[in-house]
Amino acid sequence: MASRAQTVAALATIAAAGAALAIDVTRPGDPITPSSANSPAAEGVANVIDNTGRTKYLNFDRLNTGFTVTPSGAGVVKHMKIITANDAPARDPTSFTLEGSNDGVGFTMIASGPLTPSITRFSITSTPITSNTTYVQYRVRFPTLRDPVAANSMQVAEVQLATSVDITSPDDMVTVTYTPGASSNPTEGPTHLFDNAIGAKFDVLNGNLGPTTVDVTPLAGATVVTGMAYISANDDQAFPGRTPQNITLLGSNDGTNFTQIFTTAVTPATDNFQDQEFEFANAASYTQYRLIFDIPQSSTDMQVGEIELYGVAPNQVPPDNDACANARVITAGQVSGTTNLAGGSDITPCGNGDNVDVWYRYTSAAGGLTEASTCDSSTDTTVAVYDGCGGNLLACDDNGCGLQSIARWTAVANQPYLIRVALVGGATGAFRLNLDDAPAVHTDVALPLAYNFNGMVHAGEAGLPDAPTGYRSISDRGLEISSAADSIAAGTLLGTTRIAYSIVRTPGVLDIVHLGDRNTVDNNNHVFDLVIDGDNVGVQPDWLLDTNQTGAQTTNLLPSNLILGPDTRLGVLYQISNGGGDFLMTLTFDDTSTAVIELVGPDWFFDQSPGPAFFGVEVQTQLGVFAGAENVDQATHGASLNVVEAIVSTARMLSDGIGDFTGKRLASITFSDRTNTVAGYAIIAASVRDGVPACPCDWNHSGQINSQDFFDFLNDFFAGHADFNGNGTTNSQDFFDFLNCFFADC
C-alpha cells in the first residue's frame, strides 16, 4: 500500500503538471493493494493507475488476480477501461468483476462480464457499468485470461474507472485540415486519434507552421461532451516537444457553424502513452466536433497518440434507416453507420446470422459498374444489394476484403438500389460504407513462389514438434493459419491497396520462402534435435534436406507469361525474426535484364513499422498484426506477429533510376542477401497487379504474332538464351514447343 507521503508526492506532481484529472476516479498515488505480491519489482500494482500505458501490472498468480484501490476522485463509475500491455496477448484478461465497499470489509458486486481486448498491443477496451452508487473502495478482479495455458501471468497496462463514456469510435468519420505546408504520412493520419490503439499516432509533419483542425462525426449521434482525455504518442519520450501547446474543442449540428466548448493548455508529454484528462461544464448536445491542435511545444512535428471525448448520448433510439422502407439516401463517397439498437430478422445467403441490419438507398446517375464496400471498417460485415425492398438480390458478399465486404453490380442510370449492411453472427456495431460509382478494375495474379519451408502453423500442426513432415518455425515463432478473426487467413487477404494475395492454407505442405538457417538463427538457440525426444524443439523434418537456406531462392516465372505494363505493380508479403533487417528481391526478365530491389522489415514481434522504403518501392508498410504461435516447434498459441507489404511498380523503378522495364516479360523472382545473419526471413506471398498477359510465342512482345517473332526466337535460340518452356536450359525442346505455339497462333 502506498504511504501517505507517496500519495501526497504523486498528487503534487500531477498538480505541477497542470493536468485536471476528473473522468477517472483513480489517481497515481492512490492507496492500492494487489490481490497478491507475486509480481516483479518493476511491474507492481501501482503501475495499473499511474496514467501511462507504457508501464504494466503483472501478476504470476494468473487467474483471479487484480487489486483493491481507494480512489481520491469522486463520481459514480459508469465505465471500466483497460489498456493492454506491451507483449504476450495470452496474458490479457478476458473477464472482470468490479465490487465496491464503504468500509473496506464488506464488498458489493457492481458488475461482472467478459472483456474482449484486441491482440494489438496498447489497445483500449471499455465496458459499461450499470451503477448509481459511489463507493469508498473498489475491488477489481480478472478471473480469466486469453490463453491460460500459454500465459505465465496476468498483465494489464492500465485500468481506469470512468464516470462517463468515450463517445468516439474507430469507425467515426474523420477529416483533417492542415495549415499549408503541413501533412501526415499515410500510416499516421487523423483516424489514429480515435482508433482505441494508443500504439498508433497522429503525426503532423511541419506542424509548427500553424494549427491543425480535425473534425469528427461520432456514430453515437447527438451527444453532450463534458470531458476530454489526451494521450501522448508512442515515442514522445524519444522525441520530446511534439505535444501541441493548446487544444480547443468545438461542437456543431450542421457541420458549418461551430461553438467553442472548451480550450486548454496541454502539459508537455515526458513519457509515452501519458494520459491527461480534462473535465468541463457543458449542457449542449452536438452531432459533430472539431478539435484544433495548436503548434507543437518545441518541434517541427506535432503528434498525438489518442483523443477521447467523454459524455452521454441523450437519446438512444434505433437508427433512422433501421428498415428498408426508411433507407437513408446516399451518393458516391463514404458514410459512417451503425447497427447499434437496430432490429431485423432476415439473413443474406452470403452471410452467417447477419440478421441485424440497416439500409441505404442509392440512385445511379450514369449507370455502369458500381461498388459498395465496408473495407475501411473494423467490424466483420456483410453487404447485399437489391433492386427494391423485397426485390431481387443483385450482389452479396461476406469477407471480400478481409472480414469486410465488397459488392459489385452493373447499375442502370436513374434506377434506385437498396444496399443492406449487417454484422455477422447477429452482432451490432459501427462500420464505414463506401459507394464508388466508377471502381477501378484490376487483374491480380498470384505468383507461384517456389516455397521451401513449412513455416506457418496450420490446423493440426501445433504440439507436434517431432512430426517428420510437420510445421517448423524459422526461429521461435510462426504465423497461424485458421479462420479465426485475427488470423492472416481469415477472409480474403488484400493488401493496403487491395492487391489480392494467395497464401497456402493447406496443412502439411511447404508454405513460405525461407532465407536463413534454422540451426544458426537466434545465435544457435533453436538447433534441430538429433533424435526424437519430446522436448518441443523438434527434429529436422523429412522435407528439409538442408537447413542452410541462406543462399538465393529463385522462382521461375516464365510459365506465368506476365509482361510489365506502365501501371504494373508487384506486391510481396514478408516478415523477419530476431531484430528485422534487409534483403534483396531481384526481378529477372526474359531478355536477361534485372531489377534489384532492397526491401526492409522490422522484427516480427507485434506492432512495428518497417521504416522508409528504398528505390523502386512505391509502398512499404505494415499489412497488419496477426495471430501467431510461439515456443519454437511446439507452436503454442500466443504470439502475435506483424507482416510487411512492399509494392514495387514499373513507374517507381523508372523514376528512381533502376530502369525502364515496360513491355518486358518476367522470367524469375529471386530473394537473397539477408543483412541480419541471426534472423530468419519468411516470404509469404507475392502478386502482380495489372501485368499484361503474354502470349509466349509473341517473342518480341509486339502485341502480335508474325514472322519477326520466329526470326527473333531463332536468334535467341542460337545465342543460348531462348528457354521457352522455362525448364532452366535452352535445347531442342524449346524449339519444338515454340513452333507448336507459333503455328497454333498462341
Side-chain angles (χ1 to χ4, degrees):
M1 180 179 295
S3 68
R4 182 179 183 279
Q6 289 173 317
T7 302
V8 171
L11 293 175
T13 300
I14 296 166
L21 296 163
I23 300 161
D24 178 13
V25 299
T26 70
R27 309 284 191 272
D30 283 350
I32 186 168
T33 305
S35 55
S36 75
N38 196 9
S39 300
E43 296 173 344
V45 71
N47 291 343
V48 82
I49 59 166
D50 63 356
N51 283 346
T52 172
R54 183 180 59 81
T55 62
K56 69 182 179 184
Y57 166 43
L58 184 146
N59 194 308
F60 288 115
D61 287 350
R62 296 169 48 246
L63 306 180
N64 292 304
T65 57
F67 59 91
T68 302
V69 62
T70 304
S72 55
V76 177
V77 174
K78 293 292 187 181
H79 245 74
M80 189 180 79
K81 179 172 71 177
I82 72 167
I83 298 177
T84 57
N86 62 321
D87 60 8
R91 302 172 183 172
D92 293 342
T94 53
S95 63
F96 79 99
T97 62
L98 175 66
E99 301 170 283
S101 176
N102 288 316
D103 59 10
V105 178
F107 281 83
T108 300
M109 179 65 71
I110 303 172
S112 64
L115 295 171
T116 55
S118 168
I119 62 169
T120 300
R121 300 297 79 196
F122 305 113
S123 64
I124 299 171
T125 300
S126 296
T127 186
I129 304 296
T130 302
S131 176
N132 294 307
T133 307
T134 61
Y135 293 92
V136 173
Q137 276 189 334
Y138 292 94
R139 183 161 65 192
V140 177
R141 290 289 184 271
F142 300 117
T144 59
L145 303 179
R146 189 192 302 273
D147 190 339
V149 176
N152 66 350
S153 59
M154 182 284 300
Q155 67 176 24
V156 62
E158 196 78 4
V159 173
Q160 295 186 350
L161 303 177
T163 57
S164 55
V165 61
D166 178 15
I167 57 91
T168 67
S169 78
D171 288 300
D172 292 344
M173 286 294 293
V174 180
T175 60
V176 61
T177 303
Y178 299 101
T179 294
S183 64
S184 294
N185 289 321
T187 57
E188 296 180 340
T191 56
H192 288 306
L193 289 172
F194 312 104
D195 61 359
N196 287 336
I198 62 176
K201 67 180 180 180
F202 173 44
D203 183 273
V204 180
L205 306 171
N206 297 321
N208 61 328
L209 296 179
T212 302
T213 300
V214 175
D215 290 344
V216 57
T217 304
L219 287 167
T223 53
V224 178
V225 171
T226 56
M228 178 176 69
Y230 164 90
I231 302 177
S232 64
N234 54 7
D235 56 1
D236 269 295
Q237 192 175 46
F239 299 100
R242 295 183 176 183
T243 308
Q245 294 186 16
N246 304 281
I247 300 177
T248 299
L249 176 68
L250 305 95
S252 174
N253 286 309
D254 60 10
T256 301
N257 300 293
F258 284 83
T259 301
Q260 182 170 311
I261 302 172
F262 176 68
T263 187
T264 183
V266 185
T267 302
T270 57
D271 201 353
N272 304 339
F273 313 134
Q274 202 168 23
D275 188 7
Q276 299 181 44
E277 298 179 4
F278 308 91
E279 193 171 48
F280 41 83
N282 174 48
S285 66
Y286 298 100
T287 57
Q288 186 175 354
Y289 294 93
R290 173 168 290 173
L291 290 154
I292 300 177
F293 299 96
D294 204 352
I295 62 174
Q297 305 275 351
S298 58
S299 174
T300 56
D301 281 24
M302 188 282 295
Q303 66 180 27
V304 183
E306 192 87 1
I307 290 290
E308 296 174 313
L309 300 179
Y310 285 89
V312 296
N315 299 311
Q316 289 289 323
V317 296
D320 58 4
N321 58 338
D322 188 16
C324 182
N326 298 324
R328 186 180 304 166
V329 175
I330 60 172
T331 57
Q334 189 176 88
V335 296
S336 286
T338 180
T339 58
N340 288 333
L341 301 177
S345 58
D346 298 330
I347 59 174
T348 58
C350 64
N352 177 20
D354 59 339
N355 58 298
V356 182
D357 55 30
V358 290
W359 294 81
Y360 297 87
R361 182 184 298 272
Y362 167 72
T363 301
S364 175
L369 184 64
T370 307
E371 176 186 282
S373 75
T374 56
C375 297
D376 294 330
S377 302
S378 60
T379 46
D380 188 354
T381 59
T382 64
V383 173
V385 181
Y386 298 83
D387 59 7
C389 292
N392 297 310
L393 179 64
L394 304 179
C396 189
D397 184 64
D398 180 28
N399 297 342
C401 47
L403 295 177
Q404 292 71 47
S405 305
I406 305 174
R408 283 185 169 184
W409 76 102
T410 302
V412 176
N414 302 316
Q415 166 71 42
Y417 296 94
L418 280 303
I419 302 169
R420 178 188 188 271
V421 181
L423 274 62
V424 301
T428 61
F431 60 85
R432 293 181 184 175
L433 175 65
N434 192 75
L435 199 291
D436 191 343
D437 57 3
V441 178
H442 296 289
T443 300
D444 296 331
V445 177
L447 297 183
L449 296 181
Y451 294 124
N452 60 2
F453 211 88
N454 179 9
M456 296 192 288
V457 184
H458 297 71
E461 291 183 322
L464 302 172
D466 294 319
T469 61
Y471 158 82
R472 295 296 183 270
S473 171
I474 62 172
S475 183
D476 60 339
R477 309 182 190 279
L479 285 171
E480 288 187 341
I481 302 299
S482 71
S483 59
D486 55 354
S487 169
I488 195 173
T492 303
L493 182 59
L494 299 184
T496 53
T497 60
R498 295 195 189 178
I499 292 178
Y501 293 96
S502 177
I503 59 174
V504 178
R505 300 171 187 244
T506 305
V509 299
L510 306 184
D511 50 31
I512 64 171
V513 175
H514 174 226
L515 292 180
D517 189 332
R518 165 59 190 274
N519 279 344
T520 61
V521 72
D522 193 18
N523 297 311
N524 309 320
N525 283 325
H526 311 300
V527 177
F528 285 124
D529 287 331
L530 296 178
V531 296
I532 295 175
D533 58 9
D535 66 357
N536 301 324
V537 175
V539 295
Q540 184 172 326
D542 293 348
W543 50 259
L544 185 61
L545 301 180
D546 185 357
T547 67
N548 186 354
Q549 297 172 313
T550 57
Q553 305 295 321
T554 299
T555 299
N556 174 25
L557 297 180
L558 283 173
S560 297
N561 289 322
L562 289 172
I563 295 175
L564 300 194
D567 299 316
T568 299
R569 289 167 172 81
L570 188 153
V572 59
L573 306 182
Y574 56 91
Q575 57 182 185
I576 304 171
S577 75
N578 299 94
D582 305 359
F583 65 105
L584 298 184
M585 178 177 71
T586 302
L587 304 178
T588 302
F589 301 90
D590 63 355
D591 64 353
T592 71
S593 62
T594 59
V596 181
I597 312 294
E598 186 172 2
L599 302 180
V600 182
D603 184 271
W604 59 357
F605 193 70
F606 289 106
D607 187 11
Q608 301 190 53
S609 170
F614 287 111
F615 293 132
V617 182
E618 187 175 85
V619 174
Q620 184 174 270
T621 187
Q622 183 194 96
L623 177 69
V625 179
F626 303 96
E630 51 191 10
N631 296 333
V632 198
D633 299 335
Q634 186 180 10
T636 304
H637 175 77
S640 300
L641 302 174
N642 66 71
V643 173
V644 179
E645 179 186 29
I647 300 176
V648 174
S649 68
T650 307
R652 182 58 63 90
M653 288 190 290
L654 177 60
S655 64
D656 286 351
I658 294 177
D660 185 359
F661 301 99
T662 304
K664 294 191 176 185
R665 179 188 178 198
L666 273 172
S668 66
I669 184 170
T670 299
F671 304 103
S672 65
D673 296 274
R674 61 186 183 132
T675 59
N676 184 353
T677 57
V678 299
Y681 289 54
I683 294 90
I684 300 164
S687 290
V688 171
R689 162 160 288 186
D690 297 337
V692 181
C695 174
C697 45
D698 179 14
W699 193 252
N700 53 28
H701 310 317
S702 65
Q704 52 185 320
I705 302 170
N706 52 35
S707 59
Q708 190 61 50
D709 293 293
F710 183 80
F711 293 122
D712 290 341
F713 174 80
L714 284 182
N715 287 332
D716 289 341
F717 180 80
F718 290 116
H721 50 81
D723 182 17
F724 181 80
N725 52 29
N727 65 1
T729 61
T730 298
N731 54 34
S732 59
Q733 191 59 51
D734 293 292
F735 182 80
F736 293 122
D737 289 343
F738 175 81
L739 286 183
N740 287 333
C741 175
F742 183 80
F743 289 114
D745 198 24
C746 216

